[in-house]
């Protein structure tokens, strides 16, 4: 029987995310630096380029070549390059790529495809978001993180946070050490304030903000619109509280919480633990969705939305539609790209949940 199947024999009891206080040891943070479940099976040939955006096909070609160039080199912990190939072949320069584009153009799909295509053992490749990387530094300390990742052939960083100056400097220092150890880098990023849309991209800002590493990165611009909604129907309207609760009790592995209490609970759980917070959850059911009250709460919700999207967890909700979560001030502010990404991803997950409501 499917985990999401309903049963006429015994009624499942929903999980409460608000009752969970997960603990995540440092070694789990390292072990989980792989593409999330949503991107387990993605490859370059499963990426569907928009025929009206030639930069998307060009990016696939460039990244495939970049993956092939990483087959021979391995960085030793001492910072000296060691070669597995019988004959030493200098790797193609630069040793890093930066995927430059708006949300929903498939940057994460391409980044994960690069990770999968790189000819190295899983233990020699790392994939994580910028937040997960900073959490790793916090858990292990800077020097231990350098030692842990220096033996890798490739480090992929999704959603490099250009709008967080302190963490950007920290990660820039880490990347400098890893480049010296021979680790290849690949990154996507959010844009700086004032750079979203209208064909304005973040490549220059990214290369400036990573302080002296620009020579190691080849920017790959990827134009296009949000693929999550390309040619798809509108997201379903929110359901009633009764429908959401009934669905939660009829669906194995479902959670059930009201939105205001869930937002309060997120403040008590470090964002590095949001993945653990939804371990084993097959569907998230939320009642009374309303406007997010402040920016700190909004940014925590963005992280939760990312973890839900990574794990392909449908979201069934009552209250306001997801495009009304964030105020106009938030959507016009410096973090607006994060909020638009959260709306996009939650909308996609709401569409995934449509069949669970019995409509």
């Amino acid at each position: 029987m499917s985990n999401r199947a309903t049963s006429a024999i015994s009624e499942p009891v929903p999980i409460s995310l608000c009752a969970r206080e997960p603990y995540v040891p440092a070694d789990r943070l390292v072990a989980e630096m792989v593409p999330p479940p949503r991107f387990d099976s993605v490859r370059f040939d499963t990426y569907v380029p928009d025929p009206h955006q030639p930069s998307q096909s060009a990016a696939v070609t460039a990244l495939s070549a970049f993956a092939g160039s990483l087959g021979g080199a391995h960085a030793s912990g001492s910072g000296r390059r060691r070669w597995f190939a019988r004959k030493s072949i200098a790797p193609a320069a630069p040793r890093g790529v930066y995927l430059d584009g708006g949300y929903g153009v498939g940057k994460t799909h391409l980044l994960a495809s690069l990770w999968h295509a790189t000819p190295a053992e899983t233990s020699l490749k790392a994939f994580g978001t910028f937040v997960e990387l900073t959490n790793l530094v916090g858990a292990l300390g800077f020097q231990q993180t350098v030692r842990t990742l220096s033996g890798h052939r490739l480090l992929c960083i999704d959603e490099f946070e250009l709008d967080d100056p302190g963490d950007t400097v920290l990660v820039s220092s880490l990347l400098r050490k890893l480049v010296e150890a021979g680790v290849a880098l690949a990154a996507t990023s959010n844009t700086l304030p004032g750079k979203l849309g209208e064909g304005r991209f973040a490549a220059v800002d990214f290369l400036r903000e990573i302080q002296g590493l620009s020579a190691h990165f080849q920017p790959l611009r990827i134009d296009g619109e949000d693929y999550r909604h390309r040619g798809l129907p509108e997201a379903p309207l929110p359901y009633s509280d009764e429908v959401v609760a009934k669905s939660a009790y009829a669906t194995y592995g479902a959670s059930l919480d009201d939105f205001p209490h869930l937002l309060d609970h997120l403040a008590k759980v470090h964002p590095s633990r949001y993945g653990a917070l939804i371990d084993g959850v097959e569907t998230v059911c939320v009642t009374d969705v309303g406007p997010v009250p402040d920016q700190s709460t909004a940014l925590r919700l963005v992280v939760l939305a990312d973890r839900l999207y990574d794990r392909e967890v449908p979201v069934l909700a009552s209250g306001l539609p997801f495009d009304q979560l964030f105020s106009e001030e938030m959507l016009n502010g410096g973090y607006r790209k994060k909020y638009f990404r959260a709306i996009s991803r939650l909308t996609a997950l709401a569409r995934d949940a449509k069949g669970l409501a019995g409509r």
Side-chain angles (χ1 to χ4, degrees):
M1 179 183 292
S2 167
N3 288 338
R4 295 175 181 170
T6 59
S7 171
I9 300 174
S10 61
E11 193 173 68
V13 178
I15 300 162
S16 172
L17 298 182
C18 292
R20 291 184 161 190
E21 297 182 3
Y23 167 72
V24 183
D27 58 351
R28 174 174 168 175
L29 295 177
V30 176
E32 290 185 344
M33 292 194 73
V34 296
R38 177 176 287 272
F39 300 99
D40 273 346
S41 61
V42 301
R43 299 293 187 273
F44 289 129
D45 59 6
T46 64
Y47 180 76
V48 182
D50 186 337
H52 302 294
Q53 303 291 347
S55 62
Q56 295 186 7
S57 295
V60 172
T61 300
L63 288 170
S64 297
F66 183 71
S69 76
L70 302 180
H74 173 63
S76 71
S78 64
R80 294 190 300 271
R81 196 178 311 284
R82 184 157 49 90
W83 301 92
F84 287 130
R86 185 175 181 181
K87 185 177 181 180
S88 296
I89 302 173
R95 291 277 295 173
V97 290
Y98 163 60
L99 308 186
D100 179 25
Y103 63 92
V105 296
K107 298 190 304 296
T108 303
H109 182 134
L110 291 172
L111 190 68
S113 297
L114 171 63
W115 187 92
H116 287 299
T118 298
E121 298 176 8
T122 297
S123 61
L124 297 179
K125 302 183 287 187
F127 183 107
T129 64
F130 181 89
V131 171
E132 289 167 334
L133 190 59
T134 57
N135 290 338
L136 184 65
V137 176
L140 299 182
F142 184 84
Q143 295 300 333
Q144 182 58 43
T145 302
V146 171
R147 287 191 291 269
T148 298
L149 297 180
S150 287
H152 285 61
R153 191 166 299 166
L154 172 69
L155 171 62
C156 295
I157 309 169
D158 201 20
E159 297 296 341
F160 199 106
E161 307 232 346
L162 295 177
D163 44 27
D164 190 327
D167 283 346
T168 297
V169 171
L170 172 68
V171 175
S172 295
S173 299
L174 173 64
L175 296 187
R176 187 176 302 107
K177 293 289 188 181
L178 297 180
V179 166
E180 291 171 359
V183 181
L185 306 174
T188 73
S189 86
N190 60 3
T191 52
L192 284 169
K195 298 294 184 179
L196 177 65
E198 311 266 298
R200 299 162 70 182
F201 289 76
V204 173
D205 299 309
F206 176 83
L207 296 175
R208 180 181 65 245
E209 293 294 321
I210 59 175
Q211 301 189 356
L213 286 171
S214 60
H216 297 281
F217 281 89
Q218 172 192 0
L220 296 176
R221 176 167 168 165
I222 307 172
D223 302 281
E225 62 183 27
D226 189 344
Y227 79 92
R228 284 180 284 268
H229 311 301
R230 190 195 307 163
L232 293 176
E234 291 294 322
L237 293 174
Y239 300 97
S240 67
D241 289 351
E242 180 182 7
V243 167
V244 172
K246 183 178 179 180
S247 299
Y249 276 95
T251 305
Y252 282 96
S255 67
L256 178 61
D257 297 274
D258 71 87
F259 192 66
H261 284 97
L262 180 58
L263 293 183
D264 289 343
H265 186 62
L266 292 180
K268 303 172 186 176
V269 180
H270 192 276
S272 66
R273 301 177 183 177
Y274 287 4
L277 182 69
I278 58 173
D279 277 352
V281 176
E282 297 280 343
T283 303
V284 166
C285 297
V286 186
T287 59
D288 198 24
V289 172
V292 179
D294 57 75
Q295 187 152 268
S296 294
T297 303
L299 292 173
R300 288 191 289 268
L301 181 60
V302 168
V303 177
L304 179 63
D306 287 342
R307 300 293 81 77
L308 291 170
Y309 183 77
D310 289 345
R311 289 158 175 76
E312 301 181 297
V313 179
V315 177
L316 194 69
S318 68
L320 289 180
F322 289 131
D323 61 2
Q324 296 180 34
L325 284 173
F326 307 110
S327 68
E328 286 299 317
E329 181 180 1
M330 291 178 184
L331 294 178
N332 290 322
Y335 295 108
R336 62 186 178 272
K337 187 182 179 188
K338 293 186 179 186
Y339 301 144
F340 281 117
R341 185 179 79 238
I343 292 170
S344 171
R345 290 183 165 186
L346 289 171
T347 298
L349 296 176
R351 189 180 295 121
D352 292 344
K354 188 173 182 180
L356 299 174
R359 292 193 190 180

